[in-house]
Amino acid sequence: MIYDSDGNAVMPGRKLEDLSANELRAKLYNADIKYPSDASKQDLIKLIRENNK
């Protein structure tokens, strides 16, 4: 993972908001992070941010 100067996880060239909900779900699945099946895109982004600390 790459971090910015504030310690926030970033992906080169793309922000989490630029990813589709399916891409976000895939990242959570690959990291073995459980998420509700009805989670919104904003919920998925929040889960990723919470689990990258």
Side-chain angles (χ1 to χ4, degrees):
M1 185 60 64
I2 298 173
Y3 297 91
D4 67 13
S5 60
D6 295 322
N8 298 312
V10 297
M11 289 177 251
R14 294 181 81 183
K15 296 179 183 178
L16 289 175
E17 293 80 6
D18 295 336
L19 300 175
S20 71
N22 285 336
E23 289 173 300
L24 296 168
R25 285 184 185 93
K27 291 188 178 306
L28 289 165
Y29 177 83
N30 288 335
D32 200 31
I33 299 169
K34 305 294 182 211
Y35 57 90
S37 61
D38 63 344
S40 69
K41 183 175 173 178
Q42 291 304 316
D43 293 336
L44 298 171
I45 290 170
K46 183 179 176 185
L47 281 170
I48 290 172
R49 288 189 170 136
E50 288 173 353
N51 285 282
N52 271 328
K53 293 183 179 183

